[in-house]
Amino acid sequence: QVQLVESGGGLVQAGGSLRLSCAASGRTFSSYFMGWFRQAPGKEREFVAAISRSGGNIYYADSVKGRFTISGDNAKNTIYLQMNSLKPEDTAVYYCAAKRAYSGNNYYAQNYDYWGQGTQVTVSS
């Protein structure tokens, strides 16, 4: 089993920054993608960013591209999401997820096997 724990959420004013972390424990995959998703109240879970284990394949949602940066530290089995120029519409619970590298499209939540509990990000205007 793989356990994922997010941290780093909080309250920030528009234009500010936050850095989210996701630490993985247990038996991790040899080849996998790690992803960030978010879900606001009353809305569907939305893809934010994903990164391969090697770090060589990175994907962003158009809504965050240029503002958010996903990165990973393989030695720590941890990924990060640096969020800059935050907007009120970024307000959501942010979830970390993991999937096998070849088990479907990286953009779809349904293809991910493991999920963290989520961390709240609130951006005030």
Side-chain angles (χ1 to χ4, degrees), residues 9 19 32 37 72-73 98 101 115 117 121:
R19 190 192 194 200
Y32 63 88
F37 292 79
D73 184 338
W115 293 85
Q117 293 178 281
V121 171

Side-chain angles (χ1 to χ4, degrees), residues 2-122:
V2 176
Q3 292 79 45
L4 304 174
V5 180
E6 306 97 333
S7 62
L11 175 65
V12 65
Q13 291 186 323
S17 299
L18 285 173
R19 190 192 194 200
L20 306 183
S21 298
C22 174
S25 61
R27 188 172 64 181
T28 55
F29 308 132
S30 298
S31 300
Y32 63 88
F33 271 82
M34 298 286 290
W36 288 99
F37 292 79
R38 65 188 183 186
Q39 188 167 23
K43 298 182 179 179
E44 295 183 345
R45 192 162 296 185
E46 175 189 22
F47 171 78
V48 176
I51 185 170
S52 64
R53 186 175 186 272
S54 68
N57 294 283
I58 295 175
Y59 305 90
Y60 295 101
D62 288 341
S63 60
V64 307
K65 192 174 182 64
R67 299 188 298 121
F68 292 9
T69 302
I70 189 170
S71 61
D73 184 338
N74 288 330
K76 295 183 177 180
N77 277 336
T78 300
I79 63 166
Y80 306 93
L81 186 68
Q82 178 66 46
M83 305 185 293
N84 298 326
S85 301
L86 283 162
K87 305 175 181 179
E89 51 262 44
D90 295 318
T91 295
V93 176
Y94 282 69
Y95 296 91
C96 177
K99 68 180 287 291
R100 294 183 182 275
Y102 307 108
S103 60
N105 194 294
N106 300 319
Y107 307 135
Y108 299 143
Q110 64 184 357
N111 292 330
Y112 284 74
D113 302 299
Y114 301 98
W115 293 85
Q117 293 178 281
T119 185
Q120 176 70 231
V121 171
T122 302

